[in-house]
């Protein structure tokens, strides 16, 4: 079973020479916009293993010479697979930590219990599985008195110096250039210090807690000067969500508004990324600026959209001069004139637009995204959480139902941790009052009162969630999803709740994807044998629930890809309320009318528990329906700016071809 197929999705095929140059000369040409050594790997696994093994070699070299190795590490998700490789090497007898001294890069402050600390996370992720000496583990103290912070921070830097300085510091690149917990404006001279967590840091830290409200307000963190004094720095970035941050850190001018740029001046720093995280670097996203290209339709479309935005012109108004002045003369040589390129790409983008996402019956489908037959189609929409379907493709979902396709919606997880305790109390009070007035059911009434009492008085931070509370939270989300489906036109018998086991831990941290999860999806596919599938293609987060859910669907498809029915099934990927497909990748664009956009908003609002009180809204203050409408309108506006028809909104899709 292949459990990480989403990492292999490359929307634009990047020739290997752009990320693995043959020699130093080629590298200097391709990376001429880069101010920091950047190493690009095809997958998170490949990059993590390479980083882990390189550092491990240094550790072992020092150990053979009876010298200590000082390693600074963080509790960020990007480092987890590096830790996994170190553990595997240690178990295989290839790596020992007996001469390694560890300094944690940061720790939450103030802490109320050990379980929520970064140190506890690192013990579980690495330290408890290797032979490191307990006395060689150094961490900021999240429990100290406030009056002791200044002296402690000074001593922490002195302890690092006494240990011989940091030999290697490994951490991830944070949003908006944050490194460690040093946000914009942190002075380059800063040493270990206390800082208040910004919204991005709180969002990232919430994975260790049940909600962002429980994240401690501050952190004790190494400062930029402490980091810059490390002999070697390894900066990890995975996933498309980091692409813009990687570009700024590597290619922009150094400045304190983007702290990671200070590392451009470090004598021994490495940025390690996968293809997706490197996606906005010039050599990957705008390769025509650094070398001759292997032009295909997608790359040409990307170049033309870029040129339209640069010049402020629609496609059909671009001139030969526009191409020549902006490093696209190769296209003129290939197509003889701007007009020929313009009309080709205009028609290519025009053909992505369809009001028939399931295919238009009795119509010529040679230039349509979907086939005319069979009609009606059996359709499955996979939704990671019980609201992603309507948030991401609510207009298309309703259109498919209105056009008489047999539409099934499969909710992959219960979403039970994303319900606030207040919602459960409200429903339990309702249940209790109904029992008192009508049924006289003492068992149900007592259980409702027991849950209310637990949530109001007995629940403790860090403890596993109560099973009864999880059941109530899952039920709330299930019934909200059922209501939204009915509103969208999906039949009751076509609503499926898969409750994939990987999710059902009762905590923010989930289990790895297993064969049991994939088998559940395979059974549904074999029961329905759809003609068309939709799945959430959010590739931005390489570790989150959406990615695991996509991997589960793709693993099931991989196991069944030789079945005749699946060979005739089209698979489309949508994106959520967080981001949209880039124009050069869109293969199907479904226009949404003002009335349909209102219906979509109402469907999203059926998920009442995911409004203002939802635990995982993130740092975007807009509600989900507002984010979705903004995203859909922005896509429609881009089509308009390129010179195509003007629509109220557009939902966009990319086709997945089984690997």
């Amino acid at each position: 079973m292949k459990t990480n197929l989403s990492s292999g999705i490359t929307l634009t095929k990047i020739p290997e020479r752009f990320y693995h140059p043959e020699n130093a000369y080629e590298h200097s040409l391709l990376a001429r916009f880069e101010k920091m050594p950047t190493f690009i790997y095809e997958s998170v696994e490949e990059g993590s293993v390479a980083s882990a093994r390189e550092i491990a070699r240094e550790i072992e070299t020092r150990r053979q010479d009876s010298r200590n190795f000082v390693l600074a590490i963080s509790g960020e998700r990007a480092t987890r697979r590096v830790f996994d490789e170190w553990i595997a090497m240690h178990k295989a007898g290839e790596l020992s930590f007996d001469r390694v001294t560890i300094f944690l890069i940061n720790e939450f402050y103030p802490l109320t219990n050990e379980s929520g600390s970064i140190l506890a996370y690192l013990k579980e992720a690495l330290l408890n599985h290797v032979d490191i000496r307990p006395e060689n583990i150094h961490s900021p103290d999240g429990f100290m008195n406030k009056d002791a912070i200044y002296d402690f921070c000074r001593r922490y830097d002195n302890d690092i110096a006494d240990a011989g300085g940091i030999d290697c510091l490994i951490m991830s690149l944070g949003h908006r250039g944050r490194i460690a917990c040093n946000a914009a404006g942190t002075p380059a001279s800063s040493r270990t210090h206390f800082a208040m967590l910004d919204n991005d840091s709180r969002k990232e830290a919430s994975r260790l807690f049940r909600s962002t409200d429980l994240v401690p307000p501050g952190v004790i963190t190494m400062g930029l000067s402490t980091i810059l004094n490390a002999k070697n720095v390894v900066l990890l970035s995975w996933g498309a969500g980091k692409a813009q941050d990687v570009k700024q850190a590597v290619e922009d001018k150094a400045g304190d508004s983007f702290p990671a740029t200070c590392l451009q001046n470090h004598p021994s720093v490495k940025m390690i990324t996968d293809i997706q995280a490197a996606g906005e670097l010039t050599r990957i996203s705008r390769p025509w600026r650094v070398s001759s290209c292997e032009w295909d339709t997608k790359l040409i479309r990307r170049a033309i959209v870029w040129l339209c935005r640069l010049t402020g012109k629609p496609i059909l108004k671009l001139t030969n001069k526009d191409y020549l002045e902006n490093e696209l003369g190769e296209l003129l040589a290939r197509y003889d004139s701007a007009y020929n390129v313009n009309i080709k790409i205009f028609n290519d983008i025009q053909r992505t637009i369809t009001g028939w996402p399931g295919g238009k019956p009795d119509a010529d489908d040679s230039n349509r995204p979907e086939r005319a037959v069979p009609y009606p189609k059996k359709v499955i929409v996979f939704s990671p959480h019980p609201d992603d379907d309507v948030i991401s493709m609510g207009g298309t979902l309703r259109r498919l139902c209105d056009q008489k396709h047999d539409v099934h919606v499969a909710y992959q997880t219960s979403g039970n941790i994303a319900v606030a305790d207040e919602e459960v109390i409200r429903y339990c009070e309702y249940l209790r009052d109904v029992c008192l007035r009508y049924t006289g059911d003492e068992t149900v009434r007592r259980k409702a009162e027991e849950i209310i009492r637990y949530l109001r008085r007995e629940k403790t931070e860090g403890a596993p969630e109560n099973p009864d509370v999880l059941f109530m939270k899952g039920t709330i989300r299930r019934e909200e999803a059922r209501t939204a489906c009915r509103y969208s036109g999906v039949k009751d018998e076509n609503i499926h709740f898969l409750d994939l086991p990987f999710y059902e831990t009762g905590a923010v941290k989930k289990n790895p994807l297993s064969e049991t999860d994939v088998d559940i999806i395979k059974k549904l596919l074999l029961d329905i044998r759809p003609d068309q599938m939709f799945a959430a293609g959010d590739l931005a987060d390489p570790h989150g629930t959406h990615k695991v859910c996509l991997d589960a669907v793709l693993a099931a498809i991989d196991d069944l890809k030789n079945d005749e029915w699946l060979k005739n099934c089209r698979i489309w990927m949508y994106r959520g309320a967080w981001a949209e497909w880039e124009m050069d990748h869109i293969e199907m664009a479904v226009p949404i009318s003002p009335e349909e956009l209102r219906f979509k908003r109402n469907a999203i609002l059926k998920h009442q528990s995911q409004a203002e009180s939802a635990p995982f809204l993130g740092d975007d203050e807009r509600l989900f329906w507002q984010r979705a409408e903004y995203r859909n309108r922005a896509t429609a506006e881009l089509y308009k700016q390129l010179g195509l028809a003007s629509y109220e909104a557009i939902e966009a899709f990319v086709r997945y071809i089984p690997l």
Side-chain angles (χ1 to χ4, degrees):
M1 180 186 72
K2 299 176 182 177
T3 58
N4 193 30
L5 286 166
S6 65
S7 293
I9 296 174
T10 304
L11 299 177
T12 300
K13 183 61 179 175
I14 309 297
E16 188 174 358
R17 71 182 182 89
F18 285 98
Y19 58 92
H20 282 166
E22 292 181 359
N23 51 55
Y25 175 75
E26 285 294 319
H27 185 274
S28 65
L29 292 177
L30 295 172
R32 63 189 179 90
F33 289 100
E34 297 170 18
K35 302 178 179 69
M36 186 187 303
T38 303
F39 299 84
I40 305 170
Y41 294 87
E42 290 189 357
S43 68
V44 177
E45 288 75 17
E46 186 183 343
S48 297
V49 169
S51 302
R53 289 193 167 270
E54 183 175 350
I55 296 171
R57 283 193 294 271
E58 292 297 319
I59 292 173
E60 280 299 299
T61 298
R62 288 292 191 92
R63 193 174 75 87
Q64 296 298 329
D65 294 339
S66 299
R67 292 185 295 157
N68 285 347
F69 188 89
V70 181
L71 178 65
I73 59 175
S74 67
E76 297 150 324
R77 285 183 294 179
T79 56
R80 186 63 189 252
R81 293 181 189 179
V82 173
F83 297 162
D84 290 343
E85 181 64 16
W86 283 342
I87 292 169
M89 292 179 70
H90 173 69
K91 289 181 177 178
E94 300 173 10
L95 177 63
S96 172
F97 280 75
D98 66 343
R99 296 194 70 90
V100 174
T101 299
I102 294 284
F103 282 91
L104 269 63
I105 293 173
N106 46 36
E107 181 59 275
F108 297 123
Y109 183 88
L111 288 171
T112 56
N113 64 76
E114 185 68 31
S115 64
S117 68
I118 294 174
L119 178 59
Y121 167 78
L122 287 171
K123 284 180 177 178
E124 181 273 329
L126 172 66
L127 302 177
N128 288 346
H129 306 282
V130 296
D131 59 341
I132 190 166
R133 300 173 186 175
E135 64 269 22
N136 285 349
I137 300 172
H138 302 269
S139 170
D141 182 2
F143 296 95
M144 77 180 90
N145 187 286
K146 292 179 181 178
D147 296 335
I149 291 176
Y150 177 80
D151 286 338
F152 177 88
C153 291
R154 181 176 52 79
R155 287 198 308 274
Y156 200 66
D157 280 320
N158 289 339
D159 289 344
I160 292 172
D162 291 343
I166 297 169
D167 292 301
C168 182
L169 183 150
I170 183 167
M171 61 183 172
S172 74
L173 172 64
H175 190 46
R176 298 192 181 97
R178 178 174 43 82
I179 50 174
C181 285
N182 297 289
T186 304
S189 60
S190 60
R191 308 290 289 172
T192 299
H193 63 284
F194 170 79
M196 297 298 292
L197 288 172
D198 59 17
N199 286 336
D200 294 322
S201 301
R202 292 179 66 80
K203 180 182 175 183
E204 172 67 18
S206 66
R207 77 191 192 281
L208 299 175
F209 301 86
R210 294 194 181 278
S211 77
T212 53
D213 293 336
L214 297 176
V215 177
V219 65
I220 296 171
T221 180
M222 290 184 184
L224 295 180
S225 178
T226 310
I227 292 169
L228 288 168
N229 281 336
K231 298 180 183 70
N232 297 280
V233 175
V234 177
L235 202 55
L236 305 177
S237 292
W238 313 128
K242 289 293 182 70
Q244 189 58 45
D245 290 314
V246 169
K247 181 186 187 306
Q248 288 185 253
V250 171
E251 295 189 353
D252 282 10
K253 185 178 179 181
D256 61 8
S257 62
F258 204 84
T261 56
C262 75
L263 292 172
Q264 294 174 4
N265 300 316
H266 194 283
S268 183
V269 62
K270 289 183 179 179
M271 173 75 78
I272 309 292
T273 80
D274 61 349
I275 281 285
Q276 294 174 10
E280 289 297 321
L281 292 177
T282 300
R283 59 169 148 152
I284 303 298
S285 65
R286 311 282 184 260
W288 56 86
R289 301 192 66 194
V290 294
S291 177
S292 59
C293 295
E294 299 171 21
W295 293 100
D296 59 15
T297 300
K298 275 193 173 183
L299 186 58
I300 297 171
R301 196 202 288 190
R302 172 179 288 197
I304 301 313
V305 171
W306 172 77
L307 187 57
C308 287
R309 287 175 154 174
L310 193 66
T311 60
K313 294 180 178 181
I315 294 172
L316 296 179
K317 288 189 177 182
L318 293 173
T319 65
N320 285 4
K321 183 180 178 183
D322 293 326
Y323 282 80
L324 291 170
E325 288 183 347
N326 293 287
E327 302 165 299
L328 288 171
E330 265 192 296
L331 288 177
L332 294 183
R334 183 181 176 125
Y335 289 96
D336 296 328
S337 72
Y339 174 81
N340 291 338
V341 189
N342 295 348
I343 201 68
K344 169 184 168 56
I345 297 304
F346 182 87
N347 288 336
D348 177 59
I349 296 176
Q350 177 72 43
R351 288 166 186 156
T352 66
I353 302 172
T354 180
W356 295 82
K360 187 174 184 178
D362 304 318
D364 177 9
D365 60 8
S366 55
N367 287 318
R368 290 179 177 272
E370 253 299 350
R371 305 147 295 161
V373 292
Y375 179 84
K377 288 182 173 66
K378 288 182 288 185
V379 181
I380 295 182
V381 176
F382 285 101
S383 179
H385 299 99
D387 58 354
D388 290 310
D389 53 334
V390 289
I391 290 173
S392 304
M393 54 173 289
T396 301
L397 178 63
R398 188 178 185 89
R399 188 80 63 86
L400 288 165
C401 293
D402 288 346
Q403 292 171 355
K404 308 304 180 187
H405 295 285
D406 183 23
V407 180
H408 295 251
V409 177
Y411 296 105
Q412 294 175 262
T413 71
S414 66
N416 55 18
I417 67 165
V419 178
D421 291 345
E422 291 79 7
E423 289 288 315
V424 178
I425 292 172
R426 180 161 67 93
Y427 279 96
C428 283
E429 287 177 336
Y430 169 81
L431 186 61
R432 177 198 62 194
D433 294 347
V434 167
C435 290
L436 286 171
R437 183 172 178 85
Y438 296 110
T439 70
D441 191 324
E442 284 297 303
T443 303
V444 174
R445 183 186 65 80
R446 283 196 298 269
K447 178 57 69 175
E449 289 182 342
E450 179 185 318
I451 293 172
I452 294 168
R453 183 173 61 254
Y454 166 78
L455 290 176
R456 283 182 169 166
R457 303 174 188 171
E458 300 171 5
K459 184 174 180 179
T460 57
E461 182 185 337
E465 185 63 278
N466 182 297
D468 292 328
V469 173
L470 284 177
F471 170 78
M472 289 297 297
K473 290 183 175 182
T475 301
I476 289 169
R477 297 216 66 183
R478 182 176 291 218
E479 296 313 313
E480 289 174 343
R482 231 189 280 271
T483 303
C485 271
R486 292 187 191 119
Y487 181 80
S488 300
V490 181
K491 300 173 185 175
D492 277 11
E493 61 269 26
N494 287 1
I495 305 171
H496 309 272
F497 297 96
L498 305 184
D499 293 338
L500 296 184
F502 87 86
Y503 186 89
E504 299 303 319
T505 63
V508 176
K509 183 183 176 183
K510 304 304 179 189
N511 290 324
L513 184 66
S514 72
E515 197 162 343
T516 304
D517 300 300
V518 176
D519 285 343
I520 291 170
I521 292 177
K522 282 170 60 177
K523 182 180 184 305
L524 180 68
L525 291 176
L526 289 169
D527 287 345
I528 298 171
R529 295 177 183 263
D531 307 297
Q532 187 183 45
M533 272 187 259
F534 291 87
D538 290 307
L539 306 175
D541 180 359
H543 307 278
T545 297
H546 277 224
K547 180 186 183 298
V548 179
C549 285
L550 179 60
D551 280 328
V553 173
L554 300 187
I557 290 169
D558 187 68
D559 283 354
L560 300 171
K561 64 185 176 185
N562 293 322
D563 289 13
E564 212 50 49
W565 66 269
L566 188 51
K567 292 178 183 178
N568 297 314
C569 178
R570 290 272 177 93
I571 304 158
W572 295 97
M573 297 188 296
Y574 61 82
R575 280 193 169 175
W578 315 98
E580 184 54 283
W581 297 113
E582 296 81 2
M583 176 59 75
D584 44 308
H585 302 315
I586 295 173
E587 294 172 272
M588 180 163 68
V590 181
I592 307 297
S593 69
E595 186 70 9
E596 287 171 322
L597 197 60
R598 183 174 66 83
F599 275 118
K600 174 175 177 172
R601 179 192 304 179
N602 290 340
I604 296 171
L605 290 172
K606 301 298 181 188
H607 296 270
Q608 296 179 20
S609 69
Q610 301 305 293
E612 289 93 336
S613 63
F616 299 109
L617 283 171
D619 59 345
D620 191 330
E621 294 182 358
R622 297 172 299 175
L623 301 181
F624 285 122
W625 70 265
Q626 293 171 316
R627 303 179 202 184
E629 287 190 12
Y630 173 83
R631 174 174 60 84
N632 295 158
R633 285 192 169 115
T635 303
E637 179 62 24
L638 180 54
Y639 269 79
K640 177 184 173 183
Q641 290 172 2
L642 294 174
L644 292 104
S646 177
Y647 296 102
E648 178 70 13
I650 287 177
E651 292 176 339
F653 303 88
V654 169
R655 188 178 171 192
Y656 173 75
I657 307 294
L659 301 173

